[in-house]
């Protein structure tokens, strides 16, 4: 054997080893649709549920059109602390619009927003909050609002992570959405957040198209303006898609009962009840418990946003799966 | 050549001819996705539109997720004369429930319904009609209502055609729904009719799943009753999905603007405006004009149900396609 032959052989062998390694790794990745989940109970529960309902001729089989899964958004698919992203948006909008509203300088709760006085803002209560939300969300067409949201998201940054909000989504949940869809599920968002605040970006970020987003809404009005049809956003609440509103929103938009529901707070309690308490057929309920102060946040019963109290008790009673973020998630956010 | 040879040959030739005929016929059927449409202008317009928006690298190309088509139901997909099917349902419900409501015998407008006195019923106006509708549609859970609707449709018959209402759907429109879906469209129903009145059967009859049905609704309320979650139907209007309500319903449910809309009456005017008057991109609007007194009905500007007046004028202005049922449809109803 010449040196040259030997080198060729060695290179060939090395390439062969590299190729086999590659095959092993990619086969593992293929076999594991949830690589950011540790091999703990929640992952096992999800996979077991999906295998049950997709196995034909099994008593638990669910036909594809009925494989409806619903996901809360704030705190379930993306970060909700230190305040709901939509509130950060509203505060920024008030600041941006202030030049056109000189009266805001002397009128609460706008004055508090402009002065960054969160204490006074908080003291203005639900009524004050609603005034801020309406000022930020109404008074334009739906097309204009969509652009405002997209423009804001392109530049706004989360105060703790210094990243765009759309990057502060949970990698394990992105994998879960994909995994369910790969198994014939239709995935819906059912959020207390504004339906038109979410739709401009959910398709790109979560793979959930606008028609599969359910949320809170204000009233809109159809008008022909100078021969052009438009939908004008009015400063009146139309629907609050939270708590007991979630099953109502699900019924109104989807028209069938989901077989799986994912949430993280008491606002999701009724959605999980409606999904799972059907007596008989296999259903899946899951709560994300924020236990990871290091990588994200740790909060539950005593928090202001995303309180998880009654729903945590109900989870024990109803055998809903509770994700311990710190223990069950290998990775929290997507790598850029 | 023996007789036997001759017979073999003749049989072979005959089979050969039959086989070629079969190939010709089935190739034609395959080439024509709209066999119940005559080769008149509306069919050409539909096919031309679909070819334009599905041709990649063409300036009119529309990506699949944005191929949203919306269909009115009453008079567009099924018969709406001599009264909306849902009104026939409500009148039957009042009769069925009368034994539990002895007071109805002496109370209008219920008395008129029970006595078949349509004149007095009509005189009770919108208020009377609403009382009938609420008595028929509220006071039960959404699951119970779904069963009531399915049971009624299984036995009710149209007074003229003596057939189940779900057989009085338009064959050309069934083909159109299929044709659009085969070309990557998502088809939605956007009807003034009750959303929960349609959902129990639209998937089976039209191939439109519950989550793609938009309609009028009453309020529902989530309640835990004896540990069981239920949605209870309240006698209060939630949303009227008609006229200027249709673009609002489309925006609320679908969250994107359709590229094609199909209607038959003034109730569809705003939906067609919202869909087509966008300045620039290719859109499609169509009105079904009921011109066939022999095979179905002939009505337009002066009718009580499904009045087609303003929308017919708007069609001329906006180049919407108007189907002349008598001239453009080869067949009206599906063959059993």
């Amino acid at each position: 054997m010449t040196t040259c032959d030997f080198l060729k052989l060695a290179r060939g062998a090395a390439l062969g080893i590299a190729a086999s390694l590659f095959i092993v790794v990619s086969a593992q990745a293929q076999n594991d649709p949830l690589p950011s989940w540790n091999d703990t109970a929640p992952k096992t529960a999800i996979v077991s549920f999906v295998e049950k309902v997709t196995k034909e001729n099994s008593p638990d089989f669910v036909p594809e059109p009925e494989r409806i899964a619903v996901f809360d958004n704030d705190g379930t698919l993306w970060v909700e602390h230190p305040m709901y992203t939509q509130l950060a948006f509203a505060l920024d909008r008030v600041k941006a619009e202030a030049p056109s509203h000189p009266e805001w300088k002397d009128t609460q709760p706008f004055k508090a927003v402009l002065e960054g006085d969160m204490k006074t803002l908080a003291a203005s209560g639900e009524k004050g909050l609603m005034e801020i939300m309406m000022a930020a969300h109404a008074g334009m067409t739906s097309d204009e609002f969509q652009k405002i949201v997209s423009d804001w998201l392109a530049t706004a940054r989360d105060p703790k992570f210094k990243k765009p909000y759309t990057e502060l989504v949970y990698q394990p949940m992105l994998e879960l959405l994909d995994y369910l869809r790969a198994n014939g599920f239709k995935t819906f968002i059912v959020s207390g957040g504004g339906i038109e605040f979410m739709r401009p970006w959910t398709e790109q970020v979560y793979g959930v198209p606008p028609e599969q987003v359910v949320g809170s809404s204000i009233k809109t009005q159809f008008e022909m303006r100078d021969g052009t049809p438009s939908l004008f956003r009015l400063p009146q609440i139309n629907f609050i898609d939270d708590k007991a509103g979630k099953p109502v929103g699900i019924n109104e938009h989807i028209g069938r009962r989901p077989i799986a529901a994912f949430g993280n707070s008491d606002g999701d309690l009724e959605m999980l009840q409606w999904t799972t308490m059907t007596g008989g057929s296999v259903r899946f309920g899951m709560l994300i418990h924020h236990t990871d102060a290091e990588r994200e946040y740790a909060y539950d019963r005593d928090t202001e946003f995303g309180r998880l109290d009654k729903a945590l008790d109900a989870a024990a009673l109803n055998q809903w799966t509770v994700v311990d973020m710190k223990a069950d998630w290998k990775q929290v956010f997507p790598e850029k």
Side-chain angles (χ1 to χ4, degrees), chain A:
Chain A
M1 187 185 279
T2 65
T3 313
C4 188
D5 283 345
F6 176 80
L7 282 175
K8 269 187 194 159
L9 199 70
R11 197 172 58 181
L15 281 174
I17 292 164
S20 341
L21 277 175
F22 178 76
I23 289 162
V24 169
V25 169
S26 75
Q28 252 181 358
Q30 277 174 4
N31 287 340
D32 187 356
L34 303 170
S36 298
W37 292 73
N38 284 319
D39 290 323
T40 45
K43 181 173 176 170
T44 310
I46 292 165
V47 173
S48 156
F49 165 73
V50 170
E51 286 176 352
K52 263 184 210 161
V53 298
T54 55
K55 193 179 172 185
E56 280 189 73
N57 302 321
S58 123
D60 297 325
F61 178 73
V62 176
E64 236 177 83
E66 287 164 36
R67 291 182 208 155
I68 304 285
V70 288
F71 289 80
D72 170 55
N73 184 41
D74 295 302
T76 299
L77 296 178
W78 77 351
V79 173
E80 68 182 348
H81 267 247
M83 65 168 82
Y84 295 126
T85 306
Q86 195 168 355
L87 179 55
F89 163 77
L91 300 181
D92 279 0
R93 284 303 300 160
V94 166
K95 289 172 200 159
E97 289 296 303
S100 319
H101 293 271
E103 75 281 9
W104 283 355
K105 265 189 285 186
D106 308 304
T107 322
Q108 292 297 8
F110 301 98
K111 188 170 182 280
V113 175
L114 298 177
E115 292 171 354
D117 177 1
M118 296 304 283
K119 211 168 173 179
T120 304
L121 178 60
S124 74
E126 203 173 309
K127 190 175 159 288
L129 187 69
M130 200 51 76
E131 281 185 71
I132 300 292
M133 293 304 268
M134 288 305 163
H137 290 77
M140 70 292 279
T141 69
S142 55
D143 286 349
E144 286 162 356
F145 184 71
Q146 186 173 330
K147 190 178 173 331
I148 291 169
V149 171
S150 299
D151 288 350
W152 181 80
L153 280 171
T155 56
R157 294 293 177 270
D158 175 88
K160 172 172 171 177
F161 296 100
K162 319 285 182 205
K163 282 186 173 185
Y165 291 100
T166 47
E167 287 178 25
L168 297 175
V169 295
Y170 305 128
Q171 176 63 21
M173 297 308 280
L174 296 180
E175 291 165 8
L176 181 52
L177 283 164
D178 278 342
Y179 174 57
L180 290 173
R181 288 191 290 254
N183 281 282
F185 280 76
K186 214 166 184 174
T187 52
F188 287 79
I189 290 171
V190 177
S191 168
I195 191 166
E196 302 240 54
F197 180 74
M198 295 183 283
R199 280 172 164 166
W201 53 272
T202 55
E203 187 155 34
Q204 201 194 332
V205 174
Y206 301 135
V208 176
E211 61 269 26
Q212 284 163 227
V213 177
V214 183
S216 299
S217 58
I218 60 177
K219 288 203 184 297
T220 58
Q221 187 173 298
F222 177 82
E223 280 173 30
M224 289 294 286
R225 292 192 172 187
D226 309 322
T228 302
S230 59
L231 283 170
F232 201 72
R233 293 170 59 80
L234 306 178
Q236 292 169 44
I237 293 288
N238 178 55
F239 180 64
I240 301 291
D241 189 52
D242 200 25
K243 300 190 171 78
K246 288 204 174 192
V248 173
I250 288 169
N251 190 55
E252 175 78 10
H253 277 255
I254 309 177
R256 23 188 164 207
R257 211 187 270 215
I259 65 166
F262 303 83
N264 79 300
S265 80
D266 285 1
D268 303 312
L269 174 62
E270 290 84 352
M271 174 170 85
L272 270 91
Q273 289 173 326
W274 176 241
T275 300
T276 64
M277 297 172 72
T278 61
S281 55
V282 175
R283 303 291 172 123
F284 191 79
M286 176 178 269
L287 286 170
I288 310 299
H289 190 185
H290 292 258
T291 53
D292 198 328
E294 203 170 314
R295 294 186 298 176
E296 201 236 15
Y297 294 98
Y299 58 95
D300 47 35
R301 296 189 192 267
D302 305 314
T303 185
E304 188 182 349
F305 295 99
R307 183 192 308 274
L308 179 61
D309 183 31
K310 281 186 207 167
L312 203 52
D313 297 334
L317 276 171
N318 293 288
Q319 300 187 285
W320 298 334
T321 297
V322 179
V323 170
D324 175 340
M325 188 183 270
K326 190 172 179 174
D328 297 324
W329 284 1
K330 211 171 282 178
Q331 188 181 328
V332 175
F333 300 118
E335 277 162 29
K336 229 336 207 191

